[in-house]
Amino acid sequence: MKINSPLEAYKYLPGTNCTVCGEQTCMAFAAHLIDRSRKLSECTPMLEEKFSKKLEQLQGLLAPEIREVEIGVGERTVKIGGDDVLYRHKLTFFNQTAFAYDVWDTMDDKELVERVKKIQDFKKFYVGNFLTVDMVAVRSTSNDPKKFASAVKKVIETTDMPLVLCSFNPEVLKAGLEVAKDKNPLLYAANKDNWQQVAALALEYDVPVTLFAPNDLDLLKSLAKTFAEMGTEKLVLDPGTFPSGKQFRQTFNNFIKVRRAGIDGDREIAYPLMAVPLMAWMVHDDPVSASYWETVIASVFTIKYGDIMILHSTEPYAMLPELHIRDTIYTDPRKPVTVDPGMYKIGSPTKDSPVFVTTNFALTYYTVESDISSNKIDCFLWAIDTDGIGVEAAVAGGQLTAAKIKKGIEESGFDMKTDTSHNTIILPGLAARLQGDVEDETGSKILIGPADSGRIPGWLEKNWPPKK
Amino acid sequence: MTNKMKLTQLTEMLQELNIESLEGVTIEGDIELNISGGGGLNPALAYALGHEISQISLHMANIGRMLGFPAEQLFASAFGMAGMQEPQAPSLGTTPGIQELLASKFEVAKMNNWNNPIQEVTLGATSADGGSRKNTVTIGGENALPYYFDAAMPHRNYVTMDVFDMPIGMAKAVKSNYDDVINDPAEWAKKVVREFNADMVTIHLISTDPLIKDTSAKDAAKVVEDVLQAVKVPIVIGGSGNPEKDPEVLEKAAEVAAGERVLLASASLNLDYERIARAAVEHGHVVLSWTQLEINAQKELNRKLMKQCKVPRDSIVMDPTTAALGYGLDYAYTNMERIRLAGLMGDDELTFPMSSGTTNAWGARESWMVSSPLSQDSDWGPREYRGPIWEIITGLALSLAGNDMFMMMHPTSVQVLKEITQTLYGSIEAEELDISNWIGAEV
Ligand code: B12
Ligand code: SF4
């Protein structure tokens, strides 16, 4: 983005405070343009003819430094790039790194379909949502156009995840494109030898394309400049992922350099970056070492500027940390992650069901909620308003107190004496020190649950119903 | 047509042919090579797979040549001497107009506002400096974010491994490594140095907690002496975390370790940090300044240590708190990154090297639970592999945020974290790899 204060954006807006965008004033809307929580298209008055020039100017000023590239079609379309900063605390990183797992065209059909399904179905619950992976990369190991086309076809029949088509042979790529032309796949890759033919394909089929220049940033930039000149800016840059030794250090610095140059305003190189952690398998034969090293490489380039990557290991011990480190880096640091405080019914609770207390920090709430509901426990769960702080920190910081718990329960209109048969409240193990106070405040019986909500089912077996 | 051949088969075949010069080449695993129908092999791929394999491809080519195959031609492509392109089908169009790549030179500026070096801090003292350590460890001194090209990083990252003064609850995957030494801190310390390549040892005096065993400061100090006897690397001394007891425990420990330049863990705002700081100054130690994920609290404590307690700048290390992957690492990562950037840009209250309690990663349920408590989750796989990688990725993320020193527990985690941080640092040699044709590799 070329501007960084609301005032600079305001100058271009109509200035009528008409509230069509949902904001009270144009200035408020301008502030949201700068923090990128609103889109310019939401100010419909700007679409009027008389504003067309200003609209265009403002669009230019607001465009992210790193171009955005879309891959795939429909609901699972993946967007990459679009960043404006080098450090997440300066704003936030946009469009989380897209993870593409590979299949290859010398696999037999059954194996291929199984692998694609495994990739597509992998999921891990976290803070109210499932973490999942995004894409399939089809590699041509046969170098045979027919084989490649048939593998791509199988993948498309199995999933609607976006694709990366991988070969250095333009003929092979063309065969894949013929099958996948409606799917807006990412081509991988143009290099110094095949760039003319690959460019022709990218333009003819109007698809995004990766430029590959291993450890040669001059060449990478030349390729990008040439492709832009030829008419496409739907580019992804792969500076090469060397998996070990000093070459790896070099790769790391290539990513830093390219991204820094892009954010600093060098438009010719301001495109999303691709890393290929799969290269770990070139230097490690044993699958555990290779998976570990691949996860390590993936994490480095999730943190440092990789926008899309091709991966191989589908071991859960590789995929789980990969998904979590991506979530870590791409969580918007400006957003408090909370749920609405109040009483939640889990399952179909009755008067005899347990009553649990927790906080309204989303990570805490969803962890507890999912532990309970997935074990089919009917109960009442109170999310106490702790300003979005987890149990232990809230007890330490004074946001979770006996008075707060009493207030929370009263405000939800629930009466422990008449709405339950047991008048018993279960506190998190980490809030044990509030026991006496809560007892005094509420007049209810207090039980102390386990420290980790994952252990609630076992704990209930021993402690519920409460002894009279 | 291409046939596939496993490397193991290849070596067998070569052995049968009595190729002597292949002796000493060990090939692990079952990488497949493409053997083209003509009888030659695809050395381009082989070369890409590394030196040992390329040696084999050389031999294959020699055999090929003996048997009358056009080996030279095959080889030319492997070394980029001839075009690797398959002949282009005429149906593929090229874009008219641009026949040659437009020239362009990549340039990027170095950061111009990283002008303030991070303080260097040395831990441990050899006999020359009044201690009995065989080596010292120096951290800090950076002029840029870690591993960045802007300025060389003067010191690599170091790992100090945890030792406890009593058996404690640990994840199964961790505990199994220490079953034999769990009752003997000195043996435990020896084990982590000798077998697990620890750069340093942290002795945690947790039994001093009044709610645990209430071991006296005097008895705890004996354990410190034992550990100092047992190993020759620099050590860290940790209390129990009990704010009432820790000052007394660390004071006594500092006294018996006088001259050894240990790291005292920790001074924090919620205890009598002045007592700990004074003990450090008096006996020539370093203080760990520990705050909880809050940059302003970190500034405040550092300021108090320097101004109020007169701790020299070269005797402060910070621990801004480590939250595990999936459990607040986003806070911990950004907190450290902000601290390091502020230091580099001139905030003298934050220019200290950092330490991370990476072991915290074992608190994440993903690292220790047998399986997911949620039925909707995909299978979590074996926890033996999940635990160590949780500790590795937690540490690795923080190393990129500027952390210098890691307190860790699992031997595999230590090994991999050292490998990756030293690779980024630039001290790991490896065979150069040609990846220009990676797509076709059979992995
Ligand atoms: C992230 C974090 C923060 C973040 C909090 C972000 C947030 N939105 O909560 C920030 C930076 C703001 C923070 C600040 C502070 N923190 Co803090 N923080 C942490 C950290 C690293 C992780 C906490 C976390 O998110 N855990 C994950 C969530 C899901 O856990 P949870 O809420 O406890 O829920 C689990 C259980 O409680 C249980 N559970 C939950 N509900 C229920 C309900 C029932 C019925 C049952 C049975 C179980 C159950 O199951 C859940 C899943 O396991 C911990 C250290 C650590 N590694 O644990 C320190 C920690 C909690 N913080 C601590 C402290 C002291 C503080 C501060 C007071 C520091 C300071 N001096 O400023 C402040 C207080 C801020 C405030 N309250 O206003 C201490 C608490 C020490 C203590 N026991 O008293 C800790 C333990 C660090 C330490 N070792 O000293 N902190
Ligand atoms: S819609 Fe446009 S003109 Fe109307 S208030 Fe919003 S920003 Fe201003």
Side-chain angles (χ1 to χ4, degrees):
Chain A
M1 217 184 274
K2 295 279 175 274
I3 50 178
N4 50 29
S5 90
L7 207 61
E8 289 170 282
Y10 177 80
K11 286 193 294 205
Y12 294 86
L13 294 173
T16 57
N17 301 333
C18 74
T19 73
V20 168
C21 58
E23 298 295 337
Q24 289 305 306
T25 62
C26 294
M27 194 55 148
F29 185 72
H32 288 300
L33 289 176
I34 295 298
D35 72 22
R36 287 181 60 177
S37 60
R38 305 292 304 266
K39 289 207 167 59
L40 185 49
S41 58
E42 292 171 85
C43 167
T44 44
M46 277 292 270
L47 299 177
E48 283 170 40
E49 180 62 37
K50 60 177 173 184
F51 292 119
S52 66
K53 188 140 189 227
K54 284 190 162 173
L55 179 72
E56 196 181 312
Q57 285 171 329
L58 186 53
Q59 260 164 350
L61 293 172
L62 291 171
E65 293 298 342
I66 307 301
R67 290 176 186 76
E68 261 178 347
V69 173
E70 280 190 19
I71 308 164
V73 290
E75 261 179 36
R76 297 194 80 138
T77 303
V78 162
K79 225 192 238 173
I80 58 173
D83 279 315
D84 263 320
V85 293
L86 289 172
Y87 311 106
R88 63 189 286 276
H89 65 269
K90 292 267 168 134
L91 183 66
T92 181
F93 287 158
F94 294 91
N95 301 328
Q96 64 178 9
T97 310
F99 289 166
Y101 289 80
D102 77 326
V103 296
W104 46 103
D105 64 1
T106 45
M107 285 176 108
D108 71 53
D109 282 0
K110 193 165 151 272
E111 228 185 310
L112 183 136
V113 169
E114 259 168 35
R115 188 169 160 89
V116 171
K117 284 197 175 136
K118 187 172 178 189
I119 295 164
Q120 170 179 269
D121 297 341
F122 191 85
K123 59 179 183 163
K124 159 80 161 55
F125 187 81
Y126 186 65
V127 198
N129 277 308
F130 283 100
L131 304 175
T132 56
V133 303
D134 315 284
M135 310 176 63
V136 176
V138 192
R139 290 190 295 128
S140 178
T141 39
S142 70
N143 201 25
D144 173 348
K146 278 208 202 76
K147 276 215 171 123
F148 188 63
S150 118
V152 173
K153 188 152 171 274
K154 263 270 157 324
V155 176
I156 291 175
E157 285 165 9
T158 315
T159 183
D160 52 6
M161 281 193 285
L163 303 179
V164 191
L165 305 182
C166 309
S167 173
F168 294 119
N169 181 344
E171 257 187 285
V172 170
L173 286 177
K174 187 178 169 77
L177 272 172
E178 265 308 308
V179 184
K181 61 178 162 221
D182 304 331
K183 305 287 177 190
N184 191 33
L186 172 65
L187 288 186
Y188 187 99
N191 61 20
K192 68 177 189 328
D193 302 315
N194 69 9
W195 61 273
Q196 278 180 306
Q197 291 96 337
V198 175
L201 290 174
L203 290 167
E204 183 189 340
Y205 290 87
D206 191 22
V207 291
V209 58
T210 314
L211 312 179
F212 179 49
N215 202 16
D216 187 344
L217 299 184
D218 289 339
L219 173 63
L220 194 62
K221 193 169 166 184
S222 284
L223 283 166
K225 192 174 169 188
T226 309
F227 273 61
E229 186 72 29
M230 286 189 291
T232 178
E233 291 193 356
K234 293 197 275 185
L235 306 178
V236 176
L237 309 182
D238 180 359
T241 303
F242 291 86
S244 57
K246 298 217 162 83
Q247 288 182 310
F248 182 76
R249 181 185 152 83
Q250 185 67 47
T251 295
F252 175 80
N253 273 296
N254 286 341
F255 274 71
I256 308 279
K257 286 177 181 171
V258 173
R259 182 49 45 93
R260 186 187 292 171
I263 297 284
D264 282 354
D266 181 350
R267 291 295 285 171
E268 285 181 9
I269 196 116
Y271 296 96
L273 283 163
M274 176 185 282
V276 186
L278 174 148
M279 296 299 182
W281 294 78
M282 304 273 186
V283 286
H284 289 279
D285 301 330
D286 135 63
V288 178
S289 309
S291 293
Y292 261 51
W293 199 248
E294 181 174 14
T295 309
V296 162
I297 297 178
S299 303
V300 168
F301 294 115
T302 298
I303 296 170
K304 292 293 180 183
Y305 313 135
D307 297 291
I308 178 169
M309 51 183 74
I310 299 180
L311 300 141
H312 179 69
S313 179
T314 53
E315 291 295 340
Y317 59 82
M319 295 175 82
L320 290 171
E322 283 161 2
L323 284 168
H324 273 290
I325 193 69
R326 177 173 78 173
D327 187 81
T328 297
I329 296 302
Y330 282 88
T331 295
D332 188 339
R334 301 167 300 174
K335 271 191 202 135
V337 268
T338 58
V339 296
D340 290 337
M343 189 265 273
Y344 293 84
K345 286 184 184 173
I346 313 294
S348 339
T350 66
K351 278 187 146 191
D352 299 330
S353 302
V355 174
F356 293 111
V357 162
T358 189
T359 81
N360 77 325
F361 179 35
L363 174 61
T364 305
Y365 177 81
Y366 284 114
T367 308
V368 179
E369 194 265 348
S370 60
D371 286 344
I372 295 173
S373 60
S374 79
N375 284 290
K376 312 239 171 340
I377 296 165
D378 298 317
C379 67
F380 301 97
L381 180 62
W382 259 293
I384 303 295
D385 187 354
T386 57
D387 304 329
I389 302 290
V391 174
E392 212 175 1
V395 172
Q399 289 91 343
L400 186 61
T401 59
K404 272 275 186 77
I405 293 174
K406 182 175 183 224
K407 190 163 158 258
I409 293 177
E410 275 169 2
E411 278 175 3
S412 66
F414 195 83
D415 188 334
M416 287 300 297
K417 293 203 184 67
T418 56
D419 292 331
T420 72
S421 60
H422 47 72
N423 193 16
T424 302
I425 297 172
I426 303 165
L427 292 185
L430 295 175
R433 69 167 108 145
L434 302 179
Q435 181 169 23
D437 286 357
V438 182
E439 213 160 66
D440 294 347
E441 283 273 352
T442 62
S444 298
K445 195 174 165 213
I446 307 300
L447 291 180
I448 301 301
D452 190 310
S453 53
R455 299 204 156 148
I456 287 179
W459 182 89
L460 279 180
E461 264 171 42
K462 285 200 197 122
N463 297 284
W464 199 263
K467 290 168 199 78
K468 291 267 146 65
Chain B
M1 269 307 291
T2 20
N3 299 315
K4 290 277 152 20
M5 186 177 208
K6 301 229 151 128
L7 268 185
T8 39
Q9 294 168 298
L10 178 59
T11 20
E12 270 164 33
M13 190 186 101
L14 290 171
Q15 259 158 16
E16 273 166 26
L17 286 173
N18 236 339
I19 309 275
E20 280 171 29
S21 50
L22 253 191
E23 274 171 17
V25 177
T26 52
I27 295 112
E28 290 160 335
D30 261 343
I31 299 169
E32 283 176 335
L33 293 177
N34 288 317
I35 312 287
S36 75
L41 101 152
N42 178 354
L45 170 66
Y47 187 70
L49 288 173
H51 178 66
E52 287 171 352
I53 297 163
S54 78
Q55 267 182 295
I56 299 201
S57 73
L58 260 169
H59 286 282
M60 279 303 288
N62 284 338
I63 297 167
R65 204 180 287 119
M66 287 186 313
L67 301 175
F69 290 114
E72 263 72 80
Q73 216 174 304
L74 282 169
F75 249 86
S77 66
F79 293 99
M81 292 182 280
M84 296 187 77
Q85 280 327 109
E86 298 279 319
Q88 297 309 331
S91 69
L92 286 169
T94 57
T95 326
I98 300 192
Q99 295 305 327
E100 254 176 62
L101 282 176
L102 304 175
S104 191
K105 190 122 191 73
F106 178 82
E107 271 163 38
V108 69
K110 289 192 175 181
M111 297 300 288
N112 60 10
N113 57 356
W114 292 349
N115 302 319
N116 206 33
I118 303 304
Q119 175 69 46
E120 269 187 349
V121 174
T122 297
L123 299 166
T126 60
S127 56
D129 293 309
S132 65
R133 306 298 87 198
K134 219 166 134 190
N135 64 295
T136 62
V137 159
T138 301
I139 55 177
E142 295 94 338
N143 286 287
L145 280 184
Y147 327 121
Y148 273 46
F149 67 98
D150 297 84
M153 186 166 157
H155 307 289
R156 69 169 170 92
N157 303 91
Y158 288 90
V159 174
T160 173
M161 287 183 76
D162 296 321
V163 168
F164 294 86
D165 69 344
M166 60 176 275
I168 57 150
M170 286 181 245
K172 210 173 148 215
V174 178
K175 190 159 180 284
S176 59
N177 295 289
Y178 301 113
D179 278 334
D180 53 335
V181 292
I182 203 137
N183 289 304
D184 189 340
E187 284 304 313
W188 190 339
K190 276 189 201 162
K191 184 169 187 179
V192 297
V193 173
R194 206 185 289 145
E195 289 178 35
F196 303 148
N197 197 17
D199 298 309
M200 295 178 53
V201 169
T202 305
I203 173 69
H204 295 277
L205 303 170
I206 55 161
S207 75
T208 57
D209 190 324
L211 299 173
I212 300 178
K213 277 192 183 168
D214 205 10
T215 306
S216 70
K218 209 166 137 228
D219 288 346
K222 285 205 192 89
V223 177
V224 171
E225 286 176 306
D226 289 348
V227 171
L228 280 168
Q229 280 286 322
V231 296
K232 292 288 152 215
V233 296
I235 71 163
V236 183
I237 302 172
S240 65
N242 181 298
E244 276 75 48
K245 186 85 177 276
D246 271 4
E248 181 194 343
V249 170
L250 292 176
E251 214 169 53
K252 190 80 198 152
E255 193 185 311
V256 301
E260 298 286 6
R261 206 161 170 74
V262 306
L263 179 62
L264 288 178
S266 334
S268 67
L269 288 166
N270 71 348
L271 50 61
D272 190 350
Y273 55 83
E274 200 173 352
R275 257 177 97 179
I276 296 168
R278 222 183 305 120
V281 173
E282 194 173 322
H283 302 289
H285 302 306
V286 179
V287 186
L288 188 61
S289 166
W290 175 43
T291 57
Q292 280 148 0
L293 294 172
E294 228 267 289
I295 192 165
N296 290 315
Q298 190 69 60
K299 277 170 73 78
E300 180 188 342
L301 180 56
N302 294 351
R303 186 165 58 238
K304 286 183 162 152
L305 291 175
M306 289 188 289
K307 298 272 151 63
Q308 176 189 339
C309 312
K310 307 279 183 270
V311 180
R313 292 187 60 87
D314 68 359
S315 302
I316 297 175
V317 174
M318 303 183 281
D319 177 353
T321 293
T322 293
L325 177 60
Y327 294 85
L329 182 60
D330 47 335
Y331 292 93
Y333 172 84
T334 285
N335 189 43
M336 275 198 171
E337 189 173 65
R338 288 180 60 199
I339 287 175
R340 177 51 50 91
L341 287 170
L344 289 171
M345 290 190 288
D347 187 334
D348 276 336
E349 287 171 356
L350 293 170
T351 42
F352 300 98
M354 293 188 279
S355 168
S356 146
T358 317
T359 302
N360 280 357
W362 290 94
R365 53 164 67 172
E366 286 79 357
S367 72
W368 57 267
M369 267 193 190
V370 183
S371 57
S372 173
L374 306 184
S375 49
Q376 307 100 300
D377 274 5
S378 298
D379 186 3
W380 280 11
R383 65 168 157 176
E384 292 77 3
Y385 298 138
R386 240 192 288 124
I389 193 101
W390 223 260
E391 191 179 4
I392 294 164
I393 303 303
T394 301
L396 172 57
L398 297 180
S399 85
L400 293 172
N403 189 65
D404 298 271
M405 192 173 118
F406 300 86
M407 300 194 179
M408 301 180 72
M409 275 233 79
H410 196 286
T412 307
S413 313
V414 171
Q415 189 208 325
V416 179
L417 187 91
K418 280 185 134 186
E419 177 88 13
I420 180 63
T421 53
Q422 287 173 34
T423 302
L424 284 163
Y425 177 70
S427 57
I428 302 272
E429 297 292 341
E431 206 66 59
E432 295 232 329
L433 205 64
D434 179 353
I435 60 167
S436 57
N437 250 333
W438 71 272
I439 295 174
E442 297 270 341
V443 298

